[in-house]
Amino acid sequence: AQSVTQLDSHVSVSEGTPVLLRCNYSSSYSPSLFWYVQHPNKGLQLLLKYTSAATLVKGINGFEAEFKKSETSFHLTKPSAHMSDAAEYFCVVSESNAGNMLTFGGGTRLMVKP
Amino acid sequence: GAVVSQHPSWVICKSGTSVKIECRSLDFQATTMFWYRQFPKQSLMLMATSNEGSKATYEQGVEKDKFLINHASLTLSTLTVTSAHPEDSSFYICSARPSGKAGELFFGEGSRLTVL
């Protein structure tokens, strides 16, 4: 069975400072991992995905995430936060043996202070 | 990139009426589409898996007769909330998987339903 835990429900940073959104997963098989962003009253936008290629994945808008199998983590980072980064972020896991069904983390709300 | 369109994006209806939400894959065919529900400040909850040409597969606790799903073509799935009540008010999001591409999933913009 697969599961995802986003360790922080809220993260607040100042504009221009680094962003770290934490995600730990549990998976019986080699998973695919995703980060999605959701702006208020909007759908989901894919930031980046890991599918067993390079462990350091670069996404859109300057975000990146590193797959660490030993730590079962897939934390999302960005060197410098921008006001427009304020949104809800979801870490998602998918297993091929689960029919590629997505399991969503609880979400982390990122707030960016000016 | 692939585009999934949902319509309407906002809908307000009276209690007891039915509301249909459409999910269309605009530039690809999707054998499988998924419907999610999102309560305020919460994560997405998978409601059902919609398969073209066959009955939808509902998650535990989701009422089949309440949330009717039809996937009549490779580019369209519909979710009908029947006899809507205020507790059905929520944000509904669909996603679609291009046929033959495991792992790729594209999301619609979501539809906010408010039942008065």
Side-chain angles (χ1 to χ4, degrees):
Chain A
Q2 57 190 31
S3 66
V4 181
T5 302
Q6 290 182 242
L7 298 166
D8 307 294
S9 59
H10 293 81
V11 169
S12 181
V13 301
S14 297
E15 189 175 22
T17 64
V19 175
L20 170 63
L21 305 183
R22 298 182 295 167
C23 172
N24 286 97
Y25 70 92
S26 173
S27 174
S28 302
Y29 298 90
S30 297
S32 295
L33 293 158
F34 309 80
W35 275 98
Y36 284 90
V37 60
Q38 184 182 32
H39 289 92
N41 293 313
K42 294 286 188 180
L44 299 170
Q45 180 184 19
L46 179 65
L47 279 178
L48 50 82
K49 63 180 178 181
Y50 166 78
T51 55
S52 75
T55 56
L56 181 61
V57 182
K58 294 186 182 299
I60 61 172
N61 300 335
F63 284 95
E64 61 180 40
E66 186 171 7
F67 173 72
K68 292 186 176 180
K69 187 174 181 179
S70 61
E71 299 177 9
T72 61
S73 69
F74 191 59
H75 302 334
L76 181 70
T77 60
K78 183 174 181 177
S80 176
H82 192 272
M83 294 298 290
S84 61
D85 294 328
E88 187 89 15
Y89 291 80
F90 293 98
C91 181
V92 183
V93 65
S94 171
E95 282 182 3
S96 58
N97 72 315
N100 293 302
M101 299 293 288
L102 300 186
T103 299
F104 284 79
T108 299
R109 180 164 296 279
L110 175 66
M111 294 168 283
V112 182
K113 297 175 291 186
Chain B
V3 177
V4 175
S5 173
Q6 273 185 249
H7 177 80
S9 54
W10 294 83
V11 57
I12 300 174
C13 70
K14 293 182 178 180
S15 186
T17 61
S18 295
V19 174
K20 180 185 286 187
I21 301 171
E22 294 185 347
C23 177
R24 292 181 185 273
S25 55
L26 297 186
D27 50 2
F28 64 95
Q29 293 184 330
T31 306
T32 305
M33 292 185 175
F34 303 89
W35 286 96
Y36 299 83
R37 183 173 181 177
Q38 185 179 32
F39 292 100
K41 300 182 180 181
Q42 293 191 29
S43 189
L44 281 75
M45 179 190 77
L46 178 64
M47 297 175 66
T49 302
S50 172
N51 298 299
E52 186 268 337
S54 63
K55 291 182 178 180
T57 303
Y58 290 82
E59 296 301 301
Q60 190 174 9
V62 178
E63 298 176 59
K64 301 178 183 181
D65 297 330
K66 176 74 173 177
F67 300 99
L68 299 179
I69 291 174
N70 184 280
H71 193 157
S73 79
L74 287 172
T75 59
L76 173 65
S77 175
T78 60
L79 169 67
T80 301
V81 183
T82 62
S83 187
H85 290 281
E87 57 266 30
D88 298 325
S89 299
S90 192
F91 196 54
Y92 294 89
I93 300 177
C94 74
S95 65
R97 172 175 295 140
S99 298
K101 289 191 175 182
E104 292 273 1
L105 204 61
F106 300 94
F107 286 82
E109 286 285 303
S111 300
R112 179 162 298 286
L113 170 63
T114 301
V115 184
L116 302 177

